[in-house]
């Protein structure tokens, strides 16, 4: 596809990590508040709601770390596969939130933005892969020049 707005995978990872960071802070805050309320009402102990919010915050923290590790990958085909998976994840979250609880507008908007950015990065990456296939590396140019001199 030929689109005018090109988004590099690096920026798609940064947008995804920013959105995951927002979700991380939200669930961390809600988990701490729930823990403090549960501690005041029932004494010590852990509630299921506190555990679930802490687990969701932990998953978001893991995703943030993974997104920053994905930035280091240089292979375009691997990047395409990773971006495709991230797009499927954000899109699935977007659709599931619309079906299950449409009142969570902020999460629906955040996951929709992340899905759109990753889709645009995926289309840009397809164009980059096509351009990369049509160009020669420096080593290939050197070898072709050496081959031309031998004839």
């Amino acid at each position: 596809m030929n689109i005018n707005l090109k988004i590099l995978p690096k920026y798609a990872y940064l947008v995804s990590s920013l959105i995951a960071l927002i979700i991380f802070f939200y669930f961390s805050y809600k988990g701490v508040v729930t823990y403090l309320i549960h501690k005041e009402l029932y004494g010590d102990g852990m509630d299921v709601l506190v555990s679930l919010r802490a687990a969701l915050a932990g998953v978001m923290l893991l995703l943030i770390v993974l997104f920053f590790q994905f930035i280091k990958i240089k292979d375009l085909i691997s990047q395409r596969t990773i971006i495709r998976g991230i797009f499927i994840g954000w899109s699935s979250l977007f659709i599931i939130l619309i079906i299950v609880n449409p009142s969570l507008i902020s999460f629906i908007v955040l996951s929709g933005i992340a899905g759109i950015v990753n889709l645009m990065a995926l289309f840009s990456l397809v164009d980059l892969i096509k351009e990369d296939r049509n160009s020669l590396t420096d080593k290939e140019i050197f070898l072709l020049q050496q081959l031309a001199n031998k004839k």
Side-chain angles (χ1 to χ4, degrees):
M1 293 199 120
N2 196 1
I3 56 175
N4 293 335
L5 184 63
K6 296 205 183 284
I7 297 178
L8 295 175
K10 174 182 175 180
Y11 300 120
Y13 296 139
L14 290 175
V15 168
S16 292
S17 63
L18 178 68
I19 291 172
L21 185 68
I22 292 169
I23 296 171
F24 167 75
F25 282 135
Y26 175 79
F27 281 114
S28 296
Y29 169 74
K30 288 291 193 175
V32 168
V33 169
T34 306
Y35 174 73
L36 292 174
I37 291 172
H38 186 269
K39 185 177 178 182
E40 284 295 319
L41 291 176
Y42 304 110
D44 288 336
M46 191 73 118
D47 190 24
V48 175
L49 187 61
V50 175
S51 302
L52 287 174
R53 288 181 175 172
L56 285 172
V59 168
M60 288 298 129
L61 188 63
L62 176 69
L63 283 176
I64 293 167
V65 171
L66 282 175
F67 290 145
F68 282 116
Q69 292 300 316
F70 291 154
I71 291 174
K72 297 177 183 177
I73 296 174
K74 300 294 181 199
D75 182 34
L76 294 179
I77 296 174
S78 299
Q79 293 251 347
R80 182 183 65 186
T81 305
I82 293 168
I83 293 285
R84 188 179 294 151
I86 294 170
F87 168 70
I88 290 170
W90 285 119
S91 300
S92 300
L93 181 65
F94 178 73
I95 292 169
I96 289 170
L97 283 175
I98 288 175
I99 293 171
V100 173
N101 197 354
S103 65
L104 295 172
I105 299 296
S106 60
F107 288 116
I108 292 172
V109 168
L110 286 174
S111 61
I113 289 171
I116 289 170
V117 167
N118 281 295
L119 182 64
M120 290 172 33
L122 186 61
F123 289 147
S124 299
L125 199 55
V126 168
D127 290 340
L128 285 174
I129 290 171
K130 287 179 184 176
E131 291 173 8
D132 191 45
R133 285 184 182 159
N134 293 333
S135 64
L136 296 175
T137 63
D138 292 334
K139 186 173 184 178
E140 291 170 336
I141 292 171
F142 174 75
L143 291 174
L144 285 173
Q145 288 173 345
Q146 293 295 324
L147 189 63
N149 289 338
K150 287 189 177 183
K151 288 185 178 184

